[in-house]
Amino acid sequence: MIEVKNLWHIYEGRKIALKDVSLTIENEILALVGPNGSGKTTLAKHLNGLLKPTKGDVIVDGINTKEASVAELSRIVGYVFQNPEHMFFEENVFKEVAFGPKNLGLSKDEIEKRVEWALRSVNLKGYEDRSPYSLSGGEKQRLAIACMLAMNPKYLILDEPTTGLDAKSAESVKEVIRKLKEKGHGIMLITHDMELVLELAERVVLLYEGIKVFDGTINEFFQLDLRNYDLDKPELLKISERLSVGFVRNINEFVTSLLRRMRA
Amino acid sequence: MMYNLYVERDSILHRLDPRVKILSSLLGILAMILFNSPYLLFILFTLLSLSLRFLGKISFKEQIKVLKPLTPLIIITIAIWPFILEPKTFGLFIGLGYALRLASMAMITFGLLMTTTQRELILGFIKLKMPYEIGLTLTIALRYIPTLFNLAQTIIDAQKSRGLELEKGNFFSKIKKTVPVLIPLIIASIKTAHELSIALESRAFGANKKRTFLYTIEMKGKDYIALIIVFLLFGLALYARYQLGIGYVKLY
Ligand SMILES: Nc1ncnc2c1ncn2[C@@H]1O[C@H](COP(=O)(O)OP(=O)(O)O)[C@@H](O)[C@H]1O
Ligand SMILES: [Mg+2]
């Protein structure tokens, strides 16, 4: 469990980015949403120790981040940055994924096992010899996830994992996220893509100007008037509301409810 | 995140013709190369800083702020000379001089950019029959520095999240550890440069050899006077260096 307790963060130059935020993260898909500049990245960077609290505490599986290095925390919390290219530097995919486990000081055998397992988890088996920069957008994103998975973290933070991807690539990334959830990883999705939230999230935390204004189930979340927070409802939900078919999460559910309603 | 060094002020330096400022800067930088005596370079640096303060209304605080990113370079310059010259204290002394020279040259360049708008600067380069690409390149490069800093920070954070410990290890392992940071940084910079070149070309940059101008500049009495003073000062520097032998320390 990750516990964020009364967290404040004030950047140099006195920008208050987080105001008294508290929340817990367990083995679930949690969506962290909010408009640009609301403090999502600032909050996420506290979970693996990249930022330390100005006030308050962040406890990761019993470890206070103030007393641990980023390297130590990287075994527990994997942070996949928004732009995967910001981390690629090796000549091939295998070496790229092996970089993290190598930093953990694992044996050669164990590193190979981890790389193989991580690549399989993100459906990139057979890409070992390709250059990371030669991959497509969706493949790059999945490779970035594999790089973190190879360190075997319990929690994964994904910053805007589908932004800028075409529909098919985005679907391949979503599939990987669902798979990871099944395997028992706790996942924090940072996004302002409400469609993605609707499809994947179980719980939603909404930040607005550095304040946690909502923390609840996905169903409750979409009952908020999102326009107050510069966000918009997914089209699917708008249509289903108009047709009063109730809360649905994807097209299949929508069609099923609609048919049921029409029969009734 | 666009960035411009120009600071809006009403000062003598701000009102000077850009051509005068560009020529003076070039001569100033040349003058710095003439001397290597730390004493003299210290005096020149002080004079430079004072004239920026009183002729350009650029406060000392602002001057320090633009020079701050050069700190690592300045420290390396000071630290490297004791390894080159014997005795070590003499090396350190000369290193200090070179650091001051570096800081002065930077201060001249920044001084020019802080007191001249980009439009004037480019116009000045063209009217001097110099390739105006120089002015454009300079301003673009400078305003990307903060963007580059932020990018480097993001990349460092990303690699730290993969267990990279930049602080640990001896000198050589630390250098090796910069590779995971430098490669993505270089690739991202090249991409940015490429995008920028497309942006410039799509605005027909370089299509016409002869440019037309919306604004123009004109030399006035004060500009000629300033130019004469600068040339006299430069002549004085040459005289001091070659006739009087001031300000040069034999190294070997
Ligand atoms: N390094 C920094 N220094 C100063 N202010 C920052 C820094 N990083 C972010 N901020 C500010 O903190 C606020 C929250 O930023 P951020 O956490 O990046 O928001 P989000 O990820 O939700 O877009 C913004 O107002 C931003 O300008
Ligand atoms: Mg962000």
Side-chain angles (χ1 to χ4, degrees):
Chain A
M1 185 167 73
I2 301 178
E3 294 170 83
V4 177
K5 294 178 180 169
N6 305 99
L7 174 64
W8 289 73
H9 192 83
I10 303 171
Y11 281 106
E12 266 176 71
R14 310 231 186 83
K15 167 80 205 175
I16 304 179
L18 291 173
K19 291 176 202 162
D20 203 23
V21 172
S22 297
L23 62 110
T24 59
I25 301 158
E26 291 178 76
N27 298 348
E28 59 195 330
I29 302 188
L30 170 73
L32 179 61
V33 303
N36 277 335
S38 56
K40 304 184 293 292
T41 302
T42 306
L43 174 56
K45 280 186 177 168
H46 278 85
L47 306 184
N48 76 340
L50 282 172
L51 290 176
K52 307 288 180 188
T54 307
K55 222 165 89 187
D57 290 288
V58 177
I59 318 280
V60 177
D61 282 354
I63 304 169
N64 192 319
T65 59
K66 280 178 187 162
E67 276 128 40
S69 71
V70 179
E72 284 158 2
L73 290 166
S74 70
R75 295 161 184 269
I76 316 175
V77 183
Y79 191 142
V80 183
F81 274 63
Q82 180 164 359
N83 187 341
E85 290 192 2
H86 286 165
M87 62 190 249
F88 298 157
F89 72 100
E90 293 279 20
E91 59 200 290
N92 64 44
V93 165
F94 181 91
K95 285 187 183 171
E96 197 63 69
V97 182
F99 178 69
K102 242 192 256 166
N103 286 331
L104 296 183
L106 300 174
S107 72
K108 203 163 163 271
D109 276 0
E110 178 66 17
I111 292 176
E112 277 180 21
K113 246 191 262 166
R114 290 248 186 132
V115 175
E116 135 112 44
W117 169 79
L119 285 177
R120 195 150 16 85
S121 303
V122 300
N123 308 328
L124 282 179
K125 201 80 198 71
Y127 282 67
E128 286 82 354
D129 297 327
R130 294 272 301 272
S131 157
Y133 282 94
S134 74
L135 304 181
S136 75
E139 289 164 352
K140 277 182 189 145
Q141 188 66 48
R142 283 183 282 143
L143 175 57
I145 295 175
C147 287
M148 292 338 262
L149 274 186
M151 305 180 76
N152 202 18
K154 192 159 152 199
Y155 307 93
L156 263 183
I157 304 166
L158 301 164
D159 201 344
E160 300 281 357
T162 57
T163 303
L165 297 185
D166 61 59
K168 194 165 156 240
S169 304
E171 191 46 52
S172 72
V173 172
K174 286 181 209 162
E175 201 182 304
V176 166
I177 297 174
R178 284 193 200 98
K179 206 158 111 186
L180 294 175
K181 156 74 178 56
E182 302 281 288
K183 285 190 178 159
H185 291 277
I187 292 172
M188 179 185 255
L189 269 182
I190 306 176
T191 187
H192 51 243
D193 177 357
M194 292 300 114
E195 317 274 344
L196 185 70
V197 173
L198 181 63
E199 268 185 74
L200 287 182
E202 297 166 312
R203 213 178 107 209
V204 183
V205 166
L206 171 59
L207 285 182
Y208 192 73
E209 292 175 355
I211 298 169
K212 184 176 97 170
V213 290
F214 174 86
D215 185 344
T217 65
I218 174 124
N219 201 331
E220 292 162 349
F221 173 69
F222 282 113
Q223 281 158 23
L224 297 176
D225 190 354
L226 293 182
R227 279 166 306 181
N228 292 341
Y229 308 104
D230 310 330
L231 298 169
D232 198 14
K233 256 188 197 157
E235 297 304 316
L236 183 66
L237 274 189
K238 285 188 200 159
I239 298 172
S240 67
E241 248 164 46
R242 284 280 186 83
L243 299 172
S244 2
V245 296
F247 182 72
V248 294
R249 302 194 55 171
N250 52 47
I251 296 283
N252 286 341
E253 284 184 20
F254 173 74
V255 173
T256 321
S257 314
L258 188 64
L259 287 178
R260 197 183 305 127
R261 223 183 93 78
M262 281 161 68
R263 283 202 198 96
Chain B
M1 198 181 311
M2 285 304 168
Y3 194 71
N4 191 349
L5 284 172
Y6 181 71
V7 275
E8 180 92 52
R9 296 282 146 81
D10 185 21
S11 84
I12 299 175
L13 285 185
H14 281 76
R15 272 179 274 128
L16 272 186
D17 188 281
R19 282 166 286 190
V20 177
K21 283 188 274 187
I22 292 169
L23 281 176
S24 311
S25 302
L26 288 178
L27 289 180
I29 288 172
L30 267 180
M32 291 301 155
I33 300 172
L34 291 178
F35 305 106
N36 74 351
S37 149
Y39 295 122
L40 194 73
L41 284 164
F42 179 74
I43 293 171
L44 289 178
F45 181 78
T46 311
L47 285 177
L48 210 61
S49 175
L50 286 173
S51 43
L52 258 184
R53 169 67 189 82
F54 293 105
L55 300 177
K57 293 194 184 158
I58 306 289
S59 70
F60 295 123
K61 217 170 141 192
E62 288 166 315
Q63 294 180 24
I64 291 170
K65 206 173 133 205
V66 292
L67 287 183
K68 217 171 168 187
L70 291 177
T71 317
L73 213 59
I74 287 173
I75 290 173
I76 290 171
T77 310
I78 298 174
I80 220 160
W81 280 92
F83 293 100
I84 299 172
L85 290 178
E86 287 289 337
K88 288 219 179 320
T89 43
F90 178 63
L92 193 68
F93 179 67
I94 292 298
L96 219 58
Y98 277 81
L100 278 166
R101 182 195 271 178
L102 186 75
S104 304
M105 289 179 175
M107 188 87 108
I108 292 173
T109 315
F110 286 134
L112 173 66
L113 295 168
M114 290 169 97
T115 58
T116 319
T117 61
Q118 298 190 9
R119 176 199 296 157
E120 278 187 316
L121 199 62
I122 291 168
L123 217 54
F125 273 102
I126 299 167
K127 297 277 166 157
L128 282 170
K129 301 271 183 278
M130 286 197 244
Y132 63 94
E133 287 91 341
I134 296 177
L136 193 65
T137 308
L138 202 64
T139 44
I140 289 176
L142 281 165
R143 75 182 192 190
Y144 271 99
I145 288 176
T147 313
L148 219 59
F149 263 99
N150 287 337
L151 182 63
Q153 192 52 55
T154 305
I155 292 170
I156 289 172
D157 280 352
Q159 303 302 33
K160 274 167 88 179
S161 306
R162 297 167 83 189
L164 180 72
E165 290 179 286
L166 285 165
E167 303 84 10
K168 276 202 182 156
N170 61 27
F171 184 70
F172 291 102
S173 69
K174 269 186 194 159
I175 287 187
K176 220 179 123 204
K177 280 179 184 174
T178 57
V179 172
V181 177
L182 286 181
I183 292 184
L185 186 63
I186 292 168
I187 292 177
S189 317
I190 293 173
K191 281 196 168 164
T192 310
H194 182 64
E195 281 160 16
L196 196 65
S197 74
I198 292 175
L200 283 172
E201 274 166 24
S202 66
R203 287 165 179 78
F205 178 79
N208 251 332
K209 281 278 161 284
K210 192 143 178 61
R211 289 176 65 102
T212 53
F213 308 105
L214 197 52
Y215 304 92
T216 190
I217 44 178
E218 205 183 330
M219 293 278 284
K220 300 205 184 78
K222 65 174 187 332
D223 296 312
Y224 288 108
I225 294 171
L227 204 55
I228 291 168
I229 294 174
V230 167
F231 272 110
L232 282 178
L233 285 175
F234 188 68
L236 188 68
L238 284 176
Y239 182 74
R241 166 73 179 78
Y242 291 107
Q243 289 296 316
L244 305 178
I246 292 175
Y248 191 79
V249 187
K250 256 186 118 72
L251 296 189
Y252 302 102

